[in-house]
Amino acid sequence: MTLILGLESSCDETAAAVVKDGTEVLSNVVSSQITQHAPFGGVVPELAAREHLKAIQPVTDAALEEAGCKISGIDAIAVTQGPGLMPALLVGLNFAKGLAAGHNLPLIGINHFTAHIYGAFFEIGASELSNPERYPILALVVSGGHTALVLIGKDKQVRVAGTTIDDAAGEALDKAAKLLNLGYPGGPVIEKAAKSGNPKAFNFPRGLTGGGGKPLAPEHRFNFSFSGVKTAMLYHCRNAGGAENLDEQTLYDSVASYQEAVIDVLVKKTVAAAKHFGAATVIMAGGVACNSLLRERLTEKLPKNRNLVISPKKYCTDNAAMVAGLAYHHFQEKDFSGIDIDAYPRLPELTNVPF
């Protein structure tokens, strides 16, 4: 039996979890900072770091207590190394280093992006990852910081089939919510408001889909772009004399149409990539994967001969269970990190996965 304590502080959630043998989540504690960042309409890195400093010890203690174990029973410490906000990452990383050194435990630095993919398998059983019939796997990772299509082979080799060339889908939703004065975080408030609107009321642009009479460059076939739809919403508000001049129904229609444009691109690109690469399994993970319409639309549009795995909502948003679970595979290979490891803000080149 292997127990790994995972720590997560890449953005605005301080999280700790204990996972047994890579699949059994014994605890998963998350402390959110939404109320602290809401007045600013987005995450303030320095504020996030200060809040992580306050929360990380209590959250860790709570995770150990919930799991019914003590630090002496832990086999390794796993921590998000990146990508993320540097001030926030450094809090979790340095805390993890102290725990590992103080208790003579192995330290395992984890790629937050890859952990999101792994987290999708918790409830169906991570053993499915060893089933060759599951491959190739196409993963759509869609969040506030990332929007990418990743192809994973049964040999654990990875290819990034497509990524955003500018903004992530989650960032686009947050920006629209801010422009429309709907509140923070943007994703949930956009989804809620869109339910009262007509998604066909306004035709917002679908970036890199070959629209507007311009042929799509082959290299962008599976890439994403959300800067155009953000700009369109900005001018949509300006043409009305400001978001405050939109009547209630027009506001709802605007939100619904905007969300429809974002989801339409995500689904079409994912389905096209799944067909092109012959993916046996399609995974969707990341914070935006919580969106109910996106989950329904991908389920509806993906051909039934593809196995669809959508991450449970509790593992879509940032959490430490996915960090500890992924770390188990590093632990099995004795792939440990040195105490001198540093955080990295940007996603490094992906060539393989440990599971």
Side-chain angles (χ1 to χ4, degrees):
M1 180 180 74
T2 302
L3 294 179
I4 295 182
L5 171 64
L7 301 168
E8 154 64 22
S9 68
S10 64
C11 191
D12 61 342
E13 274 101 13
T14 314
V18 176
V19 176
K20 175 183 173 183
D21 295 335
T23 58
E24 187 177 347
V25 180
L26 302 183
S27 65
N28 187 31
V29 180
V30 180
S31 175
S32 175
Q33 301 177 10
I34 287 176
T35 56
Q36 285 82 4
H37 297 283
F40 306 99
V43 179
V44 180
E46 291 77 12
L47 174 59
R50 290 198 296 270
E51 293 301 315
H52 285 309
L53 280 168
K54 295 177 188 176
I56 196 160
Q57 184 69 65
V59 164
T60 301
D61 292 341
L64 289 169
E65 182 178 355
E66 185 179 311
C69 66
K70 297 181 178 180
I71 192 70
S72 58
I74 295 296
D75 294 291
I77 305 295
V79 62
T80 297
Q81 189 178 354
L85 304 175
M86 279 298 284
L89 285 166
L90 288 170
V91 174
L93 185 59
N94 286 320
F95 182 77
K97 286 180 179 182
L99 274 183
H103 297 277
N104 195 28
L105 292 171
L107 178 67
I108 303 172
I110 292 295
N111 183 311
H112 179 86
F113 181 91
T114 308
H116 270 300
I117 298 174
Y118 183 82
F121 283 91
F122 272 133
E123 292 195 353
I124 67 165
S127 60
E128 286 294 314
L129 290 167
S130 61
N131 182 353
E133 294 183 359
R134 287 280 194 178
Y135 293 85
I137 293 173
L138 179 72
L140 170 65
V141 182
V142 55
S143 66
H146 304 283
T147 300
L149 287 165
V150 180
L151 195 67
I152 305 171
K154 58 185 176 182
D155 59 356
K156 301 183 180 182
Q157 296 302 298
V158 168
R159 171 187 173 186
V160 178
T163 188
T164 178
I165 64 171
D166 41 55
D167 305 312
E171 198 277 337
L173 295 173
D174 285 342
K175 183 65 173 180
K178 189 171 184 178
L179 284 170
L180 295 169
N181 303 313
L182 293 177
Y184 174 84
V189 296
I190 287 284
E191 180 180 1
K192 182 178 180 180
K195 291 178 180 178
S196 301
N198 176 8
K200 297 181 180 179
F202 302 102
N203 185 25
F204 285 99
R206 275 79 164 156
L208 296 185
T209 57
K214 296 181 181 179
L216 181 63
E219 64 269 23
H220 289 315
R221 183 176 181 183
F222 302 120
N223 282 339
F224 301 89
S225 172
F226 295 104
S227 63
V229 72
K230 282 171 49 182
T231 302
M233 176 57 83
L234 174 64
Y235 283 102
H236 180 74
C237 293
R238 284 182 179 176
N239 290 339
E244 63 276 7
N245 290 323
L246 296 172
D247 63 73
E248 186 177 56
Q249 192 55 53
T250 302
L251 174 64
Y252 290 147
D253 289 346
S254 302
V255 172
S257 299
Y258 186 89
Q259 178 183 249
E260 179 68 22
V262 173
I263 288 177
D264 190 33
V265 172
L266 291 171
V267 172
K268 283 182 176 177
K269 295 256 182 182
T270 302
V271 171
K275 293 177 179 178
H276 179 78
F277 295 109
T281 302
V282 174
I283 292 172
M284 183 167 68
V288 179
C290 285
N291 184 284
S292 297
L293 181 62
L294 175 57
R295 297 165 85 92
E296 293 169 8
R297 192 68 60 79
L298 186 58
T299 302
E300 173 192 338
K301 297 295 184 181
L302 191 71
K304 301 308 176 186
N305 61 342
R306 316 284 170 168
N307 183 39
L308 178 61
V309 179
I310 300 179
S311 182
K313 290 187 178 182
K314 62 183 174 182
Y315 299 130
C316 286
T317 52
D318 291 346
N319 65 91
M322 64 185 191
V323 174
L326 181 60
Y328 171 77
H329 296 272
H330 289 281
F331 184 86
Q332 291 295 97
E333 299 296 322
K334 298 192 184 316
D335 180 19
F336 304 140
S337 305
I339 203 71
D340 59 343
I341 62 167
D342 201 359
Y344 49 85
R346 298 187 179 278
L347 182 67
E349 182 182 1
L350 291 178
T351 57
N352 58 76
V353 291
F355 49 82

